[in-house]
Amino acid sequence: MLFDIKKNKKFPFLHISKESLFGILFEFIIIGILGFILETVLEYITAKSFVDRGFLCGPFIPIYGFFIVGICLMNRFPERNVKNYLFSFALVFVLSYIFEEVIGTSCEAIFKTKLWQYSSFLPFNSNTRYTNLIVSILWGIFGALYYMYVIPFIFHLSKKISVRIKRCISIEFLTIFSIDILYTLVRIRVNGGYKKIWADYPRSTELTLFIIGIFAYFIAVILLMEFVSKAIYKLNKKLDWVLFLVSTFVILFPIFSAYEYMERSGIKILEVFSTIGFLDAAFLIYFLLAFIGTFILLSIYKLVIYIIEKKRTISDKFKFYKKNKFMSYFTLGNIGLSILILLMGIISLKNPVETNIRVGSGEKHLKIVAVSDIHYGTTGGIVDLSDLVKNLNKEDADVIFFLGDTIDKYASKSSSKGKDYLDYTVFASYMKEIQSTYGIYDISGNHEFETNSLYEVNDFFSEVEKLAPNFHYLDDEALVIADAFRLVGRRDYYYGGKSRTRESIEAILKRKNLYDSNLDLIVLDHQPQDYKDSLKENAILQLSGHTHDGQIFPGNILIGLYHKMRYGCISYGLYQEGNFNFFVTRGYGAWGFPLRTTGASEVLVINYNYQ
């Protein structure tokens, strides 16, 4: 028997013990989240883009959860043989066909929208195209495999988790799930239909990755809470309420981060909660990494002891693990190490370092200073513009470049739809204080466009230019600086980069009658992947940002591999080919997480020599 479930003759006809009830609820939550991640990944594989899957706003697909609840109520897993597999296949096939048709037509009737429809090119569609015979057969094949192999594996893993942890996590996630249902229904009611519910969120790629990232460390929550639970239980068996408070803090605050990033409400308390949530998320990431590291070290130790002693069992040699409460001490050490990393990361963000490179040759010299990814207005890692002014003014620069992602919030009342938005007069007041001989030159990044249209971004910076004459916004523009070099500021790759429809460097230069000039060419392009465009035009320098060098370790390793494998370019540092210099800076500000653990905030100084 999987759970303590007994049949009753009276309603509700089943008696389930509290332990079993929370166990079933825990399975419901885990499978619902895994279903969301599975469908998101499959969508990415088939459509080559991340799309928020499911009916709810949050990262949870209830049907997967209800599926596991049904299995739990059956209170057993079938034996793995052909007969049971065929029966499971038939059951899942029939249920999936009926369910898709019923849910599809019901949602169309209630919410006046089609949540999905199979392609008209597929054979064997139903009249409504909500069901397809081939797809239902695939559901049967893989659903039966999932039922007979994957779910038992997850179930047996979850059995190792204490009931106290399951109770806390189940109550909190079910509360979030219930609020999500109400929120979704209210938004549908307010907006007059389901289709409009995501109209405010053009950032589906980032949002989906962000939400998946939050639940990817779900295991870290369980590991941490298991330790806290045992420690509290040893002190006093009646202190379960403390465990509930701790788990509430650990679980809920990252939800605030996700919500505030989506909404950009401007409500101060939510912004504070968002920052705490990002710190919470970073702590769990490093706690999980430390735990994995601990496990690897212990495994290596056991292997070494086995090789040296040549014994079949090493339990005697490994008794200190339990006798000295080794795991408890190591867990405390992991918590301390994680907190220390967070503190170092916060310090790294607040104390920018200067990186120097030398470009060009000749007797004349200009000092160019560049910063990228300021992210003014973002949630979590909020930048202080007064500190930015101080850090730039002490450089005594000839010219200053902002390399995109300068603003990261609604830029106008129209784009904010009633929410808080950036005041261009405040931004301009700080820009006026920045001192340089030839001014500040800014370009767009992807984050400018994630909450604003092209027109709204251009209008914001146009107003800034009026109030701060030293500030210049380049949107596919070119000009000559100090009779020393040609400068091209490109519109971000976000607009026309993938389709190769954004204006080329050659076209920009020709439009400004600067193509045949003998002056050096410097290109500003927020994202680094099109660096070969600059190389083709014999540019002496391209400056980019965007990557943050991962910002959070081991993000720098993953981002580096991604850019190398997909684009064949670097994600941080200096690349040189002949006279061409290409530098990707890790950036000045931060996105989300109010810390940097892959390197301090960066102010790039280019010592440019020319004839």
Side-chain angles (χ1 to χ4, degrees):
M1 302 292 284
L2 302 179
F3 297 99
D4 181 13
I5 302 175
K6 297 177 181 177
K7 294 181 180 180
N8 282 337
K9 293 183 179 179
K10 297 181 180 180
F11 184 83
F13 308 114
L14 288 176
H15 172 76
I16 305 175
S17 67
K18 287 185 178 180
E19 290 187 6
S20 294
L21 176 62
F22 287 116
I24 292 172
L25 291 176
F26 187 77
E27 300 294 328
F28 174 78
I29 292 162
I30 292 292
I31 299 299
I33 292 170
L34 289 177
F36 170 84
I37 294 174
L38 173 67
E39 290 212 6
T40 303
V41 171
L42 288 175
E43 183 73 19
Y44 176 73
I45 292 171
T46 56
K48 302 300 180 184
S49 64
F50 280 102
V51 177
D52 296 288
R53 298 290 297 171
F55 175 74
L56 300 175
C57 296
F60 188 86
I61 299 182
I63 184 58
Y64 288 86
F66 288 124
F67 182 65
I68 188 65
V69 168
I71 292 172
C72 290
L73 292 177
M74 289 170 62
N75 216 17
R76 67 183 183 87
F77 290 121
E79 293 183 16
R80 293 172 181 173
N81 55 47
V82 175
K83 180 181 177 181
N84 285 332
Y85 176 79
L86 291 175
F87 175 79
S88 301
F89 161 78
L91 182 64
V92 175
F93 165 72
V94 172
L95 290 178
S96 66
Y97 194 90
I98 295 172
F99 175 80
E100 286 191 307
E101 188 67 35
V102 170
I103 294 297
T105 53
S106 299
C107 286
E108 183 176 0
I110 297 170
F111 303 120
K112 311 301 180 185
T113 188
K114 293 178 170 63
L115 291 181
W116 75 88
Q117 275 192 319
Y118 290 109
S119 171
S120 58
F121 295 104
L122 279 175
F124 308 115
N125 281 327
S126 65
N127 292 333
T128 59
R129 288 183 26 224
Y130 286 127
T131 53
N132 178 274
L133 184 63
I134 296 174
V135 173
S136 293
I137 290 172
L138 291 174
W139 270 112
I141 293 171
F142 292 106
L145 291 172
Y146 190 76
Y147 169 44
M148 297 186 70
Y149 292 93
V150 178
I151 290 178
F153 174 74
I154 295 172
F155 174 79
H156 289 304
L157 280 181
S158 70
K159 290 285 283 185
K160 299 179 183 296
I161 301 169
S162 68
V163 176
R164 296 189 301 277
I165 301 302
K166 289 180 180 178
R167 181 169 62 245
C168 289
I169 292 176
S170 297
I171 291 172
E172 286 152 10
F173 271 91
L174 282 175
T175 302
I176 295 168
F177 174 57
S178 301
I179 293 171
D180 192 5
I181 292 174
L182 291 173
Y183 180 74
T184 302
L185 294 175
V186 167
R187 289 294 295 267
I188 290 171
R189 177 74 175 175
V190 169
N191 291 311
Y194 179 79
K195 279 187 175 180
K196 296 181 181 179
I197 195 165
W198 292 110
D200 295 339
Y201 310 130
R203 309 173 296 282
S204 61
T205 298
E206 224 160 6
L207 278 179
T208 306
L209 288 171
F210 177 73
I211 293 170
I212 289 175
I214 287 177
F215 291 100
Y217 65 74
F218 190 76
I219 185 65
V221 173
I222 296 171
L223 287 172
L224 177 64
M225 294 316 301
E226 279 286 349
F227 169 75
V228 174
S229 170
K230 289 176 182 177
I232 290 174
Y233 200 69
K234 285 177 183 177
L235 289 173
N236 192 326
K237 294 182 179 180
K238 296 182 179 180
L239 288 178
D240 273 3
W241 64 272
V242 177
L243 176 65
F244 186 79
L245 287 178
V246 173
S247 63
T248 300
F249 175 85
V250 170
I251 292 171
L252 288 186
F253 275 100
I255 305 299
F256 283 114
S257 301
Y259 175 81
E260 179 59 20
Y261 181 72
M262 287 190 286
E263 290 290 333
R264 306 298 179 92
S265 65
I267 300 171
K268 296 302 178 185
I269 188 65
L270 285 181
E271 290 180 349
V272 172
F273 284 176
S274 174
T275 301
I276 295 172
F278 278 114
L279 287 171
D280 182 2
F283 168 78
L284 288 172
I285 289 170
Y286 288 116
F287 178 78
L288 179 58
L289 289 174
F291 227 101
I292 293 171
T294 301
F295 177 79
I296 293 172
L297 288 175
L298 290 175
S299 299
I300 293 172
Y301 172 82
K302 292 165 76 173
L303 179 63
V304 170
I305 293 296
Y306 177 78
I307 293 172
I308 293 174
E309 301 294 335
K310 298 191 181 300
K311 293 185 177 182
R312 293 182 181 178
T313 176
I314 60 166
S315 57
D316 293 337
K317 295 289 181 182
F318 209 57
K319 278 184 179 178
F320 77 93
Y321 169 79
K322 292 181 179 179
K323 190 179 292 184
N324 297 323
K325 299 180 181 178
F326 179 77
M327 202 60 189
S328 295
Y329 296 143
F330 228 112
T331 305
L332 281 173
N334 291 344
I335 292 172
L337 178 62
S338 301
I339 294 172
L340 179 62
I341 292 172
L342 295 191
L343 292 174
M344 292 174 63
I346 293 169
I347 293 170
S348 293
L349 176 62
K350 299 298 182 182
N351 295 275
V353 298
E354 182 181 300
T355 300
N356 286 268
I357 62 171
R358 187 169 295 276
V359 174
S361 60
E363 298 177 356
K364 297 179 182 179
H365 174 265
L366 287 175
K367 185 177 183 180
I368 302 172
V369 175
V371 291
S372 181
D373 299 274
I374 296 169
H375 287 280
Y376 176 58
T378 191
T379 58
I382 300 170
V383 71
D384 188 334
L385 289 182
S386 60
D387 286 341
L388 174 66
V389 172
K390 292 175 186 176
N391 288 324
L392 292 178
N393 282 345
K394 71 181 181 182
E395 294 293 345
D396 193 23
D398 290 307
V399 63
I400 295 173
F401 297 149
F402 288 173
L403 306 178
D405 280 1
T406 305
I407 62 172
D408 192 1
K409 199 173 186 177
Y410 301 113
S412 68
K413 188 174 182 178
S414 61
S415 66
S416 69
K417 297 180 175 62
K419 298 168 191 160
D420 191 37
Y421 60 94
L422 295 177
D423 186 343
Y424 64 81
T425 61
V426 174
F427 184 79
S429 67
Y430 285 103
M431 295 302 101
K432 283 196 297 185
E433 295 180 18
I434 298 175
Q435 300 168 4
S436 64
T437 307
Y438 299 104
I440 307 163
Y441 296 88
D442 181 30
I443 59 170
S444 60
N446 57 300
H447 277 259
E448 274 88 354
F449 299 123
E450 289 184 349
T451 46
N452 305 284
S453 67
L454 178 62
Y455 168 79
E456 287 162 339
V457 172
N458 289 344
D459 186 59
F460 177 88
F461 286 117
S462 176
E463 295 299 326
V464 173
E465 287 177 326
K466 293 175 185 177
L467 298 175
N470 61 324
F471 183 90
H472 311 279
Y473 178 64
L474 305 180
D475 181 36
D476 279 344
E477 293 292 335
L479 70 161
V480 174
I481 304 293
D483 293 325
F485 62 88
R486 294 169 294 162
L487 177 66
V488 169
R490 302 193 74 181
R491 184 180 296 171
D492 183 57
Y493 184 86
Y494 185 96
Y495 263 92
K498 290 182 180 179
S499 60
R500 309 300 297 173
T501 56
R502 68 171 179 164
E503 193 169 9
S504 67
I505 296 172
E506 178 183 352
I508 296 169
L509 289 170
K510 285 182 176 179
R511 177 161 48 83
K512 292 294 182 178
N513 297 318
L514 294 173
Y515 186 72
D516 296 322
S517 172
N518 292 323
L519 295 175
D520 288 337
L521 174 62
I522 295 178
V523 177
L524 311 181
D525 195 358
H526 175 66
Q527 299 191 47
Q529 52 262 42
D530 279 351
Y531 78 97
K532 289 183 180 179
D533 292 356
S534 299
L535 179 62
K536 176 185 173 184
E537 299 301 333
N538 297 314
I540 194 171
L541 175 66
Q542 176 177 314
L543 298 175
S544 298
H546 180 64
T547 67
H548 292 224
D549 192 24
Q551 188 173 327
I552 301 293
F553 177 84
N556 54 331
I557 298 172
L558 300 175
I559 291 292
L561 288 171
Y562 175 79
H563 278 78
K564 188 69 176 177
M565 294 172 65
R566 180 163 185 181
Y567 302 117
C569 72
I570 58 173
S571 61
Y572 172 69
L574 178 65
Y575 170 80
Q576 294 177 307
E577 185 173 334
N579 293 324
F580 175 63
N581 300 269
F582 172 40
F583 195 95
V584 181
T585 174
R586 70 171 72 98
Y588 181 88
W591 173 86
F593 298 97
L595 66 154
R596 282 182 171 272
T597 57
T598 59
S601 298
E602 188 169 54
V603 176
L604 178 63
V605 176
I606 303 102
N607 295 290
Y608 171 63
N609 295 303
Y610 65 102
Q611 298 293 337

